[in-house]
Protein backbone atom coordinates (compact mmCIF):
# COMPACT_ATOMS: atom_id res chain seq x y z
CA UNK A 1 0.00 0.00 0.00
CA UNK A 2 1.47 3.34 -1.04
CA UNK A 3 2.20 5.83 1.68
CA UNK A 4 0.05 8.93 1.72
CA UNK A 5 1.87 12.06 0.51
CA UNK A 6 1.60 14.81 3.14
CA UNK A 7 -0.16 17.88 1.85
CA UNK A 8 0.64 21.45 2.70
CA UNK A 9 -2.08 23.29 4.60
CA UNK A 10 -4.62 24.96 2.33
CA UNK A 11 -3.97 28.64 1.80
CA UNK A 12 -0.39 28.43 3.00
CA UNK A 13 0.87 29.85 -0.32
CA UNK A 14 4.33 29.46 -1.85
CA UNK A 15 7.34 29.33 0.38
CA UNK A 16 9.13 32.66 0.63
CA UNK A 17 12.43 33.02 -1.20
CA UNK A 18 15.41 34.44 0.62
CA UNK A 19 18.40 36.38 -0.69
CA UNK A 20 21.72 36.87 1.02
CA UNK A 21 22.21 40.44 2.23
CA UNK A 22 25.16 40.36 4.64
CA UNK A 23 28.23 38.15 4.89
CA UNK A 24 29.45 36.68 8.18
CA UNK A 25 32.23 39.29 8.31
CA UNK A 26 29.77 42.17 8.00
CA UNK A 27 27.55 40.68 10.70
CA UNK A 28 30.46 40.14 13.06
CA UNK A 29 31.55 43.76 12.63
CA UNK A 30 28.04 44.93 13.46
CA UNK A 31 27.58 42.77 16.56
CA UNK A 32 31.05 43.36 17.99
CA UNK A 33 30.52 47.10 17.61
CA UNK A 34 27.03 46.93 19.13
CA UNK A 35 28.15 44.79 22.07
CA UNK A 36 31.10 47.05 22.85
CA UNK A 37 28.89 50.14 22.60
CA UNK A 38 26.48 48.93 25.25
CA UNK A 39 29.29 47.86 27.60
CA UNK A 40 30.93 51.27 27.14
CA UNK A 41 27.60 53.06 27.60
CA UNK A 42 26.75 51.13 30.76
CA UNK A 43 30.15 51.55 32.38
CA UNK A 44 30.29 55.20 31.31
CA UNK A 45 26.89 55.94 32.86
CA UNK A 46 28.01 54.34 36.12
CA UNK A 47 30.90 56.80 36.27
CA UNK A 48 28.82 59.72 35.00
CA UNK A 49 25.70 59.45 37.18
CA UNK A 50 26.43 59.81 40.92
CA UNK A 51 23.48 57.65 41.99
CA UNK A 52 24.65 54.74 39.80
CA UNK A 53 28.22 55.24 40.95
CA UNK A 54 27.10 54.94 44.57
CA UNK A 55 25.04 51.81 43.92
CA UNK A 56 27.68 50.00 41.90
CA UNK A 57 30.78 51.27 43.69
CA UNK A 58 34.27 50.06 42.74
CA UNK A 59 34.84 53.02 40.46
CA UNK A 60 38.45 52.06 39.56
CA UNK A 61 37.23 48.66 38.31
CA UNK A 62 34.43 50.23 36.28
CA UNK A 63 36.90 52.71 34.80
CA UNK A 64 39.22 49.85 33.79
CA UNK A 65 36.31 47.96 32.20
CA UNK A 66 35.40 51.10 30.26
CA UNK A 67 38.92 51.78 29.03
CA UNK A 68 39.94 48.24 28.12
CA UNK A 69 36.62 47.54 26.41
CA UNK A 70 37.40 50.51 24.17
CA UNK A 71 40.83 49.09 23.35
CA UNK A 72 39.45 45.58 22.77
CA UNK A 73 36.65 46.98 20.59
CA UNK A 74 39.12 48.69 18.26
CA UNK A 75 41.40 45.65 18.02
CA UNK A 76 38.47 43.30 17.43
CA UNK A 77 37.04 45.40 14.60
CA UNK A 78 40.45 45.69 12.97
CA UNK A 79 41.06 41.94 13.31
CA UNK A 80 37.68 41.00 11.81
CA UNK A 81 38.13 43.41 8.90
CA UNK A 82 41.66 42.18 8.14
CA UNK A 83 41.17 38.45 8.69
CA UNK A 84 37.60 38.15 7.42
CA UNK A 85 36.05 38.78 4.03
CA UNK A 86 37.94 41.93 3.03
CA UNK A 87 36.14 42.11 -0.32
CA UNK A 88 32.80 42.31 1.47
CA UNK A 89 34.09 45.06 3.75
CA UNK A 90 35.46 47.08 0.83
CA UNK A 91 32.23 46.59 -1.12
CA UNK A 92 30.16 47.78 1.85
CA UNK A 93 32.33 50.87 2.31
CA UNK A 94 31.98 51.75 -1.39
CA UNK A 95 28.20 51.30 -1.27
CA UNK A 96 27.88 53.46 1.84
CA UNK A 97 30.09 56.16 0.33
CA UNK A 98 27.97 56.44 -2.83
CA UNK A 99 24.94 58.76 -2.82
CA UNK A 100 22.82 59.11 -5.97
CA UNK A 101 19.66 61.05 -6.80
CA UNK A 102 17.40 58.39 -5.30
CA UNK A 103 19.31 58.63 -2.05
CA UNK A 104 18.89 62.39 -1.98
CA UNK A 105 15.16 61.99 -2.64
CA UNK A 106 14.96 59.47 0.21
CA UNK A 107 16.65 61.90 2.61
CA UNK A 108 14.27 64.69 1.64
CA UNK A 109 11.22 62.60 2.51
CA UNK A 110 10.54 60.51 -0.59
CA UNK A 111 11.12 57.23 1.24
CA UNK A 112 9.61 55.22 -1.62
CA UNK A 113 12.54 56.12 -3.91
CA UNK A 114 14.28 52.88 -4.99
CA UNK A 115 17.26 52.05 -2.81
CA UNK A 116 20.30 49.82 -2.99
CA UNK A 117 21.49 47.27 -0.40
CA UNK A 118 21.76 50.17 2.06
CA UNK A 119 19.14 52.89 1.95
CA UNK A 120 20.21 56.51 2.32
CA UNK A 121 19.30 56.61 6.01
CA UNK A 122 21.43 53.56 6.71
CA UNK A 123 24.33 55.12 4.83
CA UNK A 124 24.11 58.31 6.89
CA UNK A 125 23.83 56.25 10.08
CA UNK A 126 26.92 54.20 9.16
CA UNK A 127 28.97 57.33 8.40
CA UNK A 128 27.93 59.05 11.64
CA UNK A 129 28.59 55.87 13.62
CA UNK A 130 32.11 55.56 12.18
CA UNK A 131 32.86 59.24 12.87
CA UNK A 132 31.52 59.01 16.42
CA UNK A 133 33.51 55.83 17.07
CA UNK A 134 36.72 57.58 16.05
CA UNK A 135 35.93 60.66 18.14
CA UNK A 136 34.97 58.49 21.11
CA UNK A 137 38.25 56.60 20.93
CA UNK A 138 40.46 59.68 20.53
CA UNK A 139 38.71 61.72 23.24
CA UNK A 140 38.61 58.74 25.61
CA UNK A 141 42.31 58.05 25.09
CA UNK A 142 43.12 61.72 25.74
CA UNK A 143 41.09 61.64 28.95
CA UNK A 144 42.92 58.52 30.10
CA UNK A 145 46.32 60.01 29.30
CA UNK A 146 45.34 63.34 30.86
CA UNK A 147 44.72 61.65 34.20
CA UNK A 148 48.30 60.40 34.17
CA UNK A 149 49.91 63.57 32.86
CA UNK A 150 48.03 66.84 33.37
CA UNK A 151 50.39 68.60 30.96
CA UNK A 152 48.65 66.93 28.00
CA UNK A 153 45.11 67.44 29.29
CA UNK A 154 43.07 69.30 26.66
CA UNK A 155 40.23 71.61 27.58
CA UNK A 156 36.89 70.50 26.19
CA UNK A 157 37.78 66.83 25.75
CA UNK A 158 35.40 65.73 28.50
CA UNK A 159 32.58 67.86 27.06
CA UNK A 160 33.14 66.33 23.62
CA UNK A 161 33.04 62.81 25.07
CA UNK A 162 29.81 63.57 26.96
CA UNK A 163 28.17 65.24 23.94
CA UNK A 164 28.98 62.19 21.79
CA UNK A 165 27.34 60.00 24.42
CA UNK A 166 24.09 61.99 24.40
CA UNK A 167 23.91 62.04 20.60
CA UNK A 168 24.73 58.33 20.36
CA UNK A 169 21.91 57.41 22.74
CA UNK A 170 19.44 59.29 20.53
CA UNK A 171 20.74 57.61 17.36
CA UNK A 172 20.79 54.13 18.89
CA UNK A 173 17.24 54.59 20.22
CA UNK A 174 16.04 55.37 16.70
CA UNK A 175 18.03 52.43 15.33
CA UNK A 176 16.45 50.03 17.84
CA UNK A 177 12.99 51.37 17.05
CA UNK A 178 13.43 50.65 13.34
CA UNK A 179 15.01 47.23 13.95
CA UNK A 180 12.70 45.94 16.68
CA UNK A 181 9.40 47.83 16.67
CA UNK A 182 8.50 49.40 13.33
CA UNK A 183 6.70 46.69 11.41
CA UNK A 184 7.82 47.63 7.90
CA UNK A 185 11.55 47.66 8.73
CA UNK A 186 12.08 45.15 11.53
CA UNK A 187 12.54 42.28 9.07
CA UNK A 188 15.94 43.81 8.34
CA UNK A 189 17.12 42.41 11.69
CA UNK A 190 16.97 38.93 10.17
CA UNK A 191 19.60 39.99 7.66
CA UNK A 192 21.96 41.05 10.42
CA UNK A 193 21.37 37.82 12.38
CA UNK A 194 21.12 35.13 9.69
CA UNK A 195 22.51 37.01 6.71
CA UNK A 196 19.46 36.70 4.45
CA UNK A 197 16.12 38.46 4.00
CA UNK A 198 12.88 37.67 2.17
CA UNK A 199 13.05 38.48 -1.51
CA UNK A 200 9.66 40.24 -1.50
CA UNK A 201 10.75 42.46 1.39
CA UNK A 202 14.03 43.26 -0.37
CA UNK A 203 12.16 44.18 -3.56
CA UNK A 204 9.91 46.54 -1.58
CA UNK A 205 12.70 48.27 0.35
CA UNK A 206 15.90 47.74 -1.68
CA UNK A 207 14.71 47.33 -5.27
CA UNK A 208 17.92 48.61 -6.89
CA UNK A 209 19.90 45.94 -5.07
CA UNK A 210 17.80 43.21 -6.72
CA UNK A 211 17.98 44.48 -10.28
CA UNK A 212 18.63 41.64 -12.77
CA UNK A 213 22.12 42.93 -13.57
CA UNK A 214 23.13 43.09 -9.92
CA UNK A 215 25.40 40.13 -9.23
CA UNK A 216 24.61 40.31 -5.49
CA UNK A 217 21.06 39.07 -6.03
CA UNK A 218 19.16 36.53 -8.13
CA UNK A 219 17.20 37.63 -11.17
CA UNK A 220 13.97 39.32 -10.14
CA UNK A 221 11.61 36.55 -11.19
CA UNK A 222 8.37 35.76 -9.39
CA UNK A 223 8.91 32.94 -6.85
CA UNK A 224 7.08 29.67 -7.38
CA UNK A 225 6.09 27.03 -4.86
CA UNK A 226 8.79 24.51 -4.13
CA UNK A 227 11.47 26.44 -6.02
CA UNK A 228 14.63 26.85 -3.93
CA UNK A 229 16.06 30.31 -3.57
CA UNK A 230 18.96 31.22 -5.82
CA UNK A 231 22.35 31.42 -4.20
CA UNK A 232 23.75 34.93 -4.71
CA UNK A 233 27.44 35.57 -4.44
CA UNK A 234 28.84 36.49 -1.04
Amino acid sequence: MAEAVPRRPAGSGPRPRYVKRFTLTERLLHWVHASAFFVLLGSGLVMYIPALSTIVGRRPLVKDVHFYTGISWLLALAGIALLGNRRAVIRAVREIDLFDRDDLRFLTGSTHSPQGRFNAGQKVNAIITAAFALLFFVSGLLLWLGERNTDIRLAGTLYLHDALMYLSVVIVTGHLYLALIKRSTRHSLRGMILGNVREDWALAHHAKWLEPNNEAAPAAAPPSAGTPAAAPRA
Side-chain angles (χ1 to χ4, degrees):
M1 181 177 180
E3 296 183 358
V5 178
R7 297 181 179 180
R8 298 180 60 192
S12 60
R15 293 180 181 179
R17 287 165 52 98
Y18 290 88
V19 290
K20 187 173 183 179
R21 189 180 182 198
F22 296 117
T23 64
L24 177 60
T25 297
E26 292 170 301
R27 300 189 326 258
L28 283 175
L29 287 171
H30 175 274
W31 291 114
V32 167
H33 178 77
S35 301
F37 173 82
F38 285 110
V39 172
L40 290 166
L41 177 63
S43 55
L45 289 176
V46 168
M47 294 186 291
Y48 185 75
I49 301 175
L52 288 178
S53 184
T54 301
I55 293 172
V56 177
R58 306 188 68 178
R59 184 179 179 85
L61 174 61
V62 175
K63 186 179 291 186
D64 285 343
V65 169
H66 190 78
F67 176 76
Y68 289 108
T69 297
I71 298 296
S72 301
W73 156 78
L74 179 66
L75 294 176
L77 291 182
I80 294 170
L82 292 174
L83 301 177
N85 189 337
R86 291 191 294 273
R87 288 186 178 180
V89 175
I90 293 172
R91 180 188 63 183
V93 171
R94 287 175 176 171
E95 289 177 277
I96 291 169
D97 189 52
L98 178 63
F99 284 82
D100 59 19
R101 291 181 179 179
D102 288 323
D103 290 322
L104 297 179
R105 293 190 188 100
F106 185 96
L107 293 175
T108 55
S110 300
T111 55
H112 294 293
S113 299
Q115 299 291 288
R117 189 164 66 112
F118 300 97
N119 65 40
Q122 292 167 335
K123 292 178 181 181
V124 171
N125 179 72
I127 292 170
I128 292 176
T129 298
F132 276 26
L134 179 61
L135 291 172
F136 263 129
F137 182 80
V138 172
S139 59
L141 184 61
L142 289 174
L143 289 171
W144 185 81
L145 293 173
E147 288 184 348
R148 285 147 183 80
N149 184 353
T150 56
D151 292 336
I152 62 173
R153 184 175 295 175
L154 299 177
T157 304
L158 180 60
Y159 296 109
L160 172 61
H161 206 72
D162 291 346
L164 291 170
M165 182 269 292
Y166 284 115
L167 293 172
S168 294
V169 169
V170 173
I171 293 172
V172 169
T173 300
H175 187 71
L176 292 176
Y177 167 75
L178 294 173
L180 301 176
I181 299 175
K182 189 174 181 180
R183 188 173 182 178
S184 63
T185 57
R186 65 189 181 193
H187 180 69
S188 62
L189 182 61
R190 177 191 172 93
M192 197 48 73
I193 295 175
L194 300 178
N196 57 41
V197 293
R198 286 199 325 268
E199 186 179 45
D200 59 333
W201 181 89
L203 284 170
H205 296 271
H206 303 274
K208 291 167 68 174
W209 171 48
L210 291 187
E211 288 177 352
N213 293 329
N214 189 336
E215 65 175 10
S224 58
T227 302
R233 299 180 185 178

